[in-house]
Coordinates of all heavy atoms in Angstrom, one line a residue:
F1 N 72.4 16.2 -76.8 CA 71.9 15.9 -75.5 C 71.3 14.5 -75.5 O 70.6 14.2 -76.6 CB 70.8 16.9 -75.1 CG 71.3 18.2 -74.7 CD1 72.0 19.0 -75.6 CD2 71.1 18.7 -73.5 CE1 72.5 20.3 -75.2 CE2 71.6 20.0 -73.0 CZ 72.3 20.7 -74.0
M2 N 71.4 13.7 -74.6 CA 70.9 12.4 -74.7 C 70.1 12.0 -73.5 O 70.2 12.5 -72.4 CB 72.2 11.3 -74.6 CG 73.1 11.5 -75.7 SD 72.4 11.1 -77.3 CE 71.9 9.4 -77.1
Q3 N 69.1 11.2 -73.8 CA 68.0 10.9 -72.7 C 67.7 9.4 -72.8 O 67.9 8.7 -73.8 CB 66.7 11.6 -73.1 CG 66.7 13.1 -72.7 CD 67.4 13.9 -73.8 OE1 68.2 14.8 -73.4 NE2 67.2 13.7 -75.1
W4 N 67.3 8.9 -71.6 CA 66.6 7.6 -71.5 C 65.1 7.9 -71.2 O 64.9 8.6 -70.3 CB 67.2 6.7 -70.5 CG 68.6 6.1 -70.8 CD1 69.8 6.5 -70.5 CD2 68.7 4.9 -71.7 NE1 70.7 5.7 -71.1 CE2 70.1 4.7 -71.9 CE3 67.9 4.1 -72.5 CZ2 70.6 3.7 -72.6 CZ3 68.5 3.1 -73.2 CH2 69.8 2.8 -73.3
Y5 N 64.2 7.3 -72.0 CA 62.9 7.3 -71.7 C 62.4 5.9 -71.4 O 63.1 5.0 -71.8 CB 62.0 7.9 -72.8 CG 62.1 9.4 -73.1 CD1 63.2 10.0 -73.6 CD2 61.0 10.1 -72.7 CE1 63.2 11.3 -73.8 CE2 61.0 11.6 -72.9 CZ 62.2 12.1 -73.4 OH 62.2 13.5 -73.6
R6 N 61.2 5.7 -70.9 CA 60.6 4.4 -70.8 C 59.1 4.5 -70.9 O 58.5 5.5 -70.7 CB 61.0 3.8 -69.4 CG 60.3 4.4 -68.2 CD 60.8 3.7 -66.9 NE 60.2 4.3 -65.7 CZ 60.5 4.1 -64.5 NH1 61.5 3.2 -64.2 NH2 59.9 4.6 -63.4
Q7 N 58.5 3.4 -71.3 CA 57.0 3.3 -71.5 C 56.6 2.0 -71.0 O 57.0 0.9 -71.6 CB 56.7 3.5 -73.0 CG 55.2 3.6 -73.3 CD 54.8 4.1 -74.6 OE1 55.7 4.1 -75.5 NE2 53.6 4.7 -74.7
A8 N 55.7 2.0 -70.0 CA 55.1 0.8 -69.5 C 53.8 0.6 -70.2 O 53.2 1.5 -70.8 CB 54.9 1.0 -68.0
P9 N 53.3 -0.7 -70.2 CA 52.1 -1.0 -70.8 C 50.9 -0.1 -70.4 O 50.8 0.0 -69.2 CB 51.9 -2.4 -70.6 CG 53.2 -3.0 -70.3 CD 54.0 -1.8 -69.6
G10 N 50.2 0.5 -71.3 CA 49.1 1.3 -71.0 C 49.5 2.7 -70.5 O 48.6 3.4 -70.0
K11 N 50.7 3.1 -70.5 CA 51.1 4.4 -69.9 C 51.8 5.1 -71.0 O 52.4 4.7 -72.0 CB 52.1 4.1 -68.7 CG 51.3 3.5 -67.5 CD 52.2 3.5 -66.3 CE 51.5 3.0 -65.0 NZ 52.3 2.9 -63.8
Q12 N 51.9 6.4 -70.7 CA 52.7 7.3 -71.6 C 54.2 7.1 -71.4 O 54.7 6.7 -70.3 CB 52.3 8.8 -71.4 CG 50.9 9.1 -71.8 CD 50.6 10.6 -72.0 OE1 51.3 11.4 -71.4 NE2 49.5 10.9 -72.7
R13 N 54.9 7.5 -72.5 CA 56.4 7.4 -72.4 C 56.8 8.5 -71.5 O 56.3 9.7 -71.5 CB 57.0 7.6 -73.8 CG 58.4 7.4 -73.9 CD 58.9 7.4 -75.3 NE 58.3 6.3 -76.1 CZ 58.7 6.0 -77.3 NH1 59.7 6.7 -77.9 NH2 58.1 5.1 -78.0
E14 N 57.8 8.3 -70.6 CA 58.2 9.2 -69.6 C 59.7 9.3 -69.6 O 60.5 8.3 -69.9 CB 57.8 8.8 -68.2 CG 58.2 7.5 -67.7 CD 57.8 7.3 -66.2 OE1 57.2 8.1 -65.6 OE2 58.2 6.2 -65.7
L15 N 60.2 10.5 -69.3 CA 61.7 10.7 -69.2 C 62.2 10.1 -68.0 O 61.7 10.3 -66.9 CB 61.9 12.3 -69.3 CG 63.4 12.6 -69.1 CD1 64.2 12.2 -70.4 CD2 63.5 14.2 -69.0
V16 N 63.3 9.3 -68.1 CA 63.9 8.8 -67.0 C 65.2 9.5 -66.5 O 65.4 9.7 -65.3 CB 64.3 7.2 -67.2 CG1 65.0 6.6 -66.1 CG2 63.1 6.5 -67.6
A17 N 66.0 9.9 -67.5 CA 67.3 10.5 -67.2 C 67.8 11.2 -68.4 O 67.4 10.8 -69.5 CB 68.4 9.5 -66.7
H18 N 68.5 12.3 -68.1 CA 69.0 13.2 -69.1 C 70.5 13.5 -68.9 O 70.9 13.6 -67.7 CB 68.2 14.5 -69.1 CG 68.7 15.6 -69.8 ND1 68.6 15.9 -71.1 CD2 69.5 16.7 -69.3 CE1 69.2 17.0 -71.5 NE2 69.7 17.5 -70.4
I19 N 71.3 13.6 -69.9 CA 72.6 14.0 -69.8 C 73.1 15.1 -70.8 O 72.7 14.8 -72.1 CB 73.6 12.8 -69.8 CG1 75.1 13.2 -69.5 CG2 73.6 12.0 -71.1 CD1 76.0 12.0 -69.2
T20 N 73.7 16.1 -70.5 CA 74.0 17.1 -71.5 C 75.3 16.8 -72.2 O 76.0 15.8 -71.8 CB 74.2 18.5 -70.7 OG1 75.4 18.4 -69.9 CG2 73.0 18.8 -69.8
T21 N 75.7 17.6 -73.1 CA 76.9 17.4 -73.9 C 78.1 17.6 -72.9 O 79.2 17.0 -73.1 CB 77.0 18.5 -74.9 OG1 76.9 19.8 -74.4 CG2 76.0 18.2 -76.0
G22 N 77.9 18.3 -71.8 CA 79.0 18.5 -70.9 C 79.0 17.5 -69.7 O 79.9 17.6 -68.9
G23 N 78.0 16.6 -69.7 CA 78.0 15.6 -68.7 C 77.1 15.9 -67.5 O 77.1 15.0 -66.6
S24 N 76.4 17.0 -67.5 CA 75.5 17.2 -66.4 C 74.3 16.3 -66.5 O 73.8 16.1 -67.7 CB 75.0 18.7 -66.4 OG 76.2 19.6 -66.2
T25 N 73.8 15.9 -65.4 CA 72.7 14.9 -65.4 C 71.5 15.3 -64.6 O 71.6 16.1 -63.7 CB 73.2 13.6 -64.8 OG1 73.7 13.8 -63.5 CG2 74.3 13.0 -65.7
N26 N 70.4 14.8 -65.0 CA 69.1 15.0 -64.3 C 68.3 13.7 -64.3 O 68.4 13.0 -65.4 CB 68.3 16.1 -64.9 CG 68.7 17.5 -64.4 OD1 68.6 17.8 -63.2 ND2 69.3 18.3 -65.3
Y27 N 67.5 13.5 -63.3 CA 66.8 12.2 -63.2 C 65.3 12.5 -62.8 O 65.0 13.4 -62.1 CB 67.4 11.3 -62.2 CG 68.8 10.9 -62.4 CD1 69.9 11.7 -62.0 CD2 69.0 9.8 -63.2 CE1 71.1 11.3 -62.3 CE2 70.4 9.4 -63.5 CZ 71.4 10.2 -63.0 OH 72.7 9.8 -63.3
A28 N 64.4 11.6 -63.3 CA 63.1 11.6 -62.7 C 63.2 11.2 -61.2 O 64.1 10.5 -60.9 CB 62.2 10.6 -63.6
D29 N 62.2 11.7 -60.5 CA 62.2 11.3 -59.1 C 62.2 9.8 -58.9 O 62.9 9.3 -57.9 CB 61.0 11.9 -58.4 CG 61.0 13.4 -58.3 OD1 62.1 14.0 -58.4 OD2 60.0 14.1 -58.0
S30 N 61.6 9.1 -59.7 CA 61.6 7.6 -59.6 C 62.9 7.0 -59.8 O 63.1 5.8 -59.4 CB 60.5 7.0 -60.5 OG 60.9 7.4 -61.9
A31 N 63.8 7.7 -60.4 CA 65.1 7.1 -60.8 C 66.3 7.6 -59.8 O 67.3 7.0 -59.8 CB 65.5 7.4 -62.2
K32 N 66.0 8.7 -59.2 CA 67.0 9.3 -58.3 C 67.5 8.3 -57.3 O 66.7 7.7 -56.6 CB 66.5 10.6 -57.6 CG 66.4 11.7 -58.6 CD 65.8 13.0 -57.9 CE 65.6 14.1 -58.8 NZ 65.0 15.3 -58.2
G33 N 68.8 8.2 -57.2 CA 69.4 7.3 -56.2 C 69.6 5.9 -56.5 O 70.3 5.1 -55.8
R34 N 69.0 5.5 -57.7 CA 69.0 4.1 -58.1 C 69.6 4.0 -59.6 O 70.3 3.0 -59.8 CB 67.6 3.5 -58.1 CG 66.9 3.5 -56.8 CD 65.6 2.6 -56.8 NE 64.7 3.3 -57.8 CZ 64.1 2.5 -58.8 NH1 64.4 1.3 -58.9 NH2 63.2 3.1 -59.6
F35 N 69.4 5.0 -60.4 CA 69.9 4.9 -61.7 C 70.9 5.9 -62.0 O 70.9 7.0 -61.4 CB 68.7 5.3 -62.7 CG 67.6 4.3 -62.8 CD1 67.5 3.1 -61.9 CD2 66.5 4.4 -63.7 CE1 66.5 2.2 -61.9 CE2 65.5 3.5 -63.7 CZ 65.5 2.4 -62.9
T36 N 71.9 5.6 -62.9 CA 72.9 6.5 -63.3 C 73.1 6.5 -64.7 O 73.3 5.5 -65.4 CB 74.3 6.1 -62.6 OG1 74.2 6.0 -61.2 CG2 75.4 7.1 -63.0
I37 N 72.9 7.7 -65.3 CA 73.2 7.9 -66.8 C 74.6 8.4 -67.0 O 75.1 9.1 -66.2 CB 72.1 8.9 -67.3 CG1 72.2 8.9 -68.9 CG2 72.3 10.3 -66.7 CD1 71.1 9.7 -69.5
S38 N 75.2 7.8 -68.0 CA 76.6 8.3 -68.4 C 76.8 8.1 -69.9 O 75.9 7.5 -70.6 CB 77.6 7.4 -67.6 OG 77.5 6.0 -68.0
R39 N 77.8 8.7 -70.3 CA 78.1 8.7 -71.8 C 79.6 8.5 -72.1 O 80.4 9.0 -71.3 CB 77.5 9.9 -72.5 CG 78.2 11.2 -72.1 CD 77.4 12.4 -72.6 NE 77.4 12.5 -74.1 CZ 76.6 13.2 -74.8 NH1 75.7 13.9 -74.1 NH2 76.6 13.2 -76.1
D40 N 80.0 7.8 -73.1 CA 81.3 7.7 -73.6 C 81.4 8.3 -75.0 O 81.0 7.5 -75.9 CB 81.7 6.3 -73.5 CG 83.2 6.1 -73.8 OD1 83.8 6.9 -74.5 OD2 83.8 5.0 -73.4
N41 N 81.8 9.5 -75.2 CA 81.8 10.1 -76.5 C 82.7 9.4 -77.4 O 82.5 9.4 -78.7 CB 82.1 11.5 -76.3 CG 81.0 12.3 -75.7 OD1 79.8 11.9 -75.7 ND2 81.3 13.5 -75.1

C-alpha cells in the first residue's frame, strides 16, 4: 500500500492520498478534486 504524506512547518505530518495494491484510492479532504495518486508497478 502506498501513501503520500506532507508536513508543513510547525505542523504534524498528514496523510494526503492513499492507493491500495489494487489501485483503489482515497484522499484527504484538502486534496479531493485537485490531486491524483497513481502507481506504475
Side-chain angles (χ1 to χ4, degrees):
F1 285 64
M2 298 298 298
Q3 286 75 227
W4 285 101
Y5 285 78
R6 68 185 182 188
Q7 188 166 19
K11 295 188 177 181
Q12 290 197 338
R13 193 170 296 190
E14 62 176 359
L15 178 65
V16 176
H18 164 85
I19 186 166
T20 68
T21 55
S24 298
T25 59
N26 279 294
Y27 298 91
D29 287 345
S30 59
K32 286 179 182 176
R34 300 188 299 127
F35 294 3
T36 302
I37 188 172
S38 61
R39 65 192 297 162
D40 185 338
N41 290 338

